[in-house]
Amino acid sequence: MTARIHAFDDDAGPAGRLAEAMRLGLARIDLHRFPDGESLPTVRDTADHAIVYRSLDRPDDKLMPLLLAVDALRRAGARRISLVAPYMPYLRQDTVFAPGQPLSRDVIGALLGEQIDDLTTVDPHLHRTHDLSPVFAGKPVRVLSAVPAMAKALGPAPDTIVLGPDSESAPWARTLASALGAPFQTLAKTRSGDRLVDLALPDPPLFAGRRVILIDDICSSGATLLLALRRLAEAGAARVDLAVVHALFDAITETRLLAAGAARIVSSDSCRHPTNQVALAPLLAAAWPSLTPDGADRP
Ligand code: R5P
């Protein structure tokens, strides 16, 4: 079975880095948009094993073209389709929080899981989900973490405290703290709207004069990290670096974060963003030990 990476044009950067790291060919998926908004992808150079790279930020724009491309790959002869989606959306709605709402996690899982043979993703939101395989129609799900690579990018961290902005960020804060040999804490967060959060710092005097690395899996509106920066400024922190695995925020939010005191913002390239400093290609490539350099499965 030979393998090839397939990617839409807007993923050419990270997909190209992955193809290079795996020493596989990269085949472009062309995307035509009809005047009424419908999409028509065209795949090419289909191998037996199609590895589709698609990060799923802005999911409502990307899902339908992805599903159509997967169908096209099957029709063109792919016998195995692996989806590499460094950012998997809709996992934060991992329960029905209020009457009348959907269970979005299971909707996205069924939609994609039925069509693919396996999934690789990075730092998915697993707060109430212990195993993603049942969510994705029983298909194998490989879960990787960008945090060790982000620790390297953040560099040595003497006299640093790692801080997660809420209890849900504890796994990332713990992993980063352990990689840096630093202590970690989390803030207590209550959210009352998309951009309305409240945060309490557990022990403000501890942060006076200290370097802090504030880490979260996702930054979207920026409300969480902006308030965390304010709390740290009130506590007298000497320097705050932001580490975000999935950078979903816009340029205005980036400006606000820097104006609020962030010394720098480091993100992985799971979502294309000006703050990307950590390429995930080596991590993703290392997760495929069964493929030989020419793309064939090892015997
Ligand atoms: C929440 O569960 C996530 O870990 C992030 O804290 C959250 O998505 C950040 O969102 P925002 O940037 O809109 O505050």
Side-chain angles (χ1 to χ4, degrees):
M1 206 186 238
T2 53
R4 187 161 291 116
I5 311 266
H6 295 263
F8 292 88
D9 273 356
D10 57 346
D11 275 332
R17 289 191 283 278
L18 179 59
E20 200 174 317
M22 293 176 74
R23 287 185 276 166
L24 293 180
L26 175 66
R28 208 173 73 203
I29 303 173
D30 291 324
L31 182 61
H32 175 71
R33 292 274 186 194
F34 291 104
D36 55 23
E38 289 188 8
S39 51
L40 177 65
T42 301
V43 301
R44 61 180 76 194
D45 302 331
T46 306
D48 303 321
H49 181 185
I51 300 173
V52 181
Y53 181 98
R54 193 55 164 154
S55 198
L56 288 170
D57 52 316
R58 294 178 288 110
D60 295 10
D61 290 341
K62 292 182 173 180
L63 278 167
M64 197 62 198
L66 173 62
L67 292 170
L68 295 171
V70 167
D71 179 78
L73 286 165
R74 290 245 188 252
R75 289 175 191 283
R79 289 190 282 141
R80 175 177 170 196
I81 296 185
S82 299
L83 174 62
V84 177
Y87 175 64
M88 180 55 64
Y90 286 118
L91 297 182
R92 281 174 290 177
Q93 181 79 13
D94 56 1
T95 188
V96 176
F97 291 101
Q101 293 181 349
L103 183 47
S104 308
R105 177 199 64 188
D106 288 10
V107 174
I108 188 84
L111 191 67
L112 290 172
E114 295 290 343
Q115 308 305 326
I116 60 171
D117 295 296
D118 56 89
L119 166 70
T120 300
T121 191
V122 177
D123 291 308
H125 194 88
L126 294 175
H127 192 56
R128 275 164 281 260
T129 311
H130 301 296
D131 182 3
L132 277 178
S133 179
V135 173
F136 286 82
K139 303 296 169 59
V141 179
R142 190 187 277 122
V143 171
L144 305 174
S145 178
V147 175
M150 295 184 77
K152 281 194 190 141
L154 287 157
D159 200 29
T160 294
I161 305 178
V162 173
L163 186 65
D166 50 31
S167 62
E168 299 187 353
S169 65
W172 292 279
R174 185 181 299 114
T175 307
L176 182 63
S178 147
L180 294 174
F184 86 93
Q185 298 224 349
T186 56
L187 290 130
K189 175 162 105 177
T190 44
R191 183 182 282 281
S192 48
D194 285 344
R195 293 167 193 275
L196 285 176
V197 294
D198 198 11
L199 293 176
L201 205 53
D203 182 9
L206 187 67
F207 295 88
R210 301 286 292 271
R211 179 193 179 205
V212 179
I213 299 178
L214 193 51
I215 181 165
D216 210 353
D217 58 337
I218 292 168
C219 177
S220 173
S221 72
T224 302
L225 291 181
L226 280 166
L227 189 56
L229 283 165
R230 196 193 309 164
R231 293 286 178 261
L232 286 167
E234 289 162 0
R239 171 189 168 116
V240 185
D241 291 350
L242 298 187
V244 176
V245 179
H246 306 297
L248 301 181
F249 52 103
D250 61 17
I252 294 171
T253 301
E254 184 184 347
T255 305
R256 285 190 183 136
L257 289 166
L258 295 170
R264 63 173 170 159
I265 309 172
V266 172
S267 67
S268 85
D269 67 356
S270 71
C271 307
R272 199 165 50 152
H273 197 274
T275 60
N276 289 169
Q277 284 188 35
V278 178
L280 294 176
L283 174 76
L284 295 167
W288 295 89
S290 64
L291 290 179
T292 62
D294 66 357
D297 278 332
R298 284 188 204 285

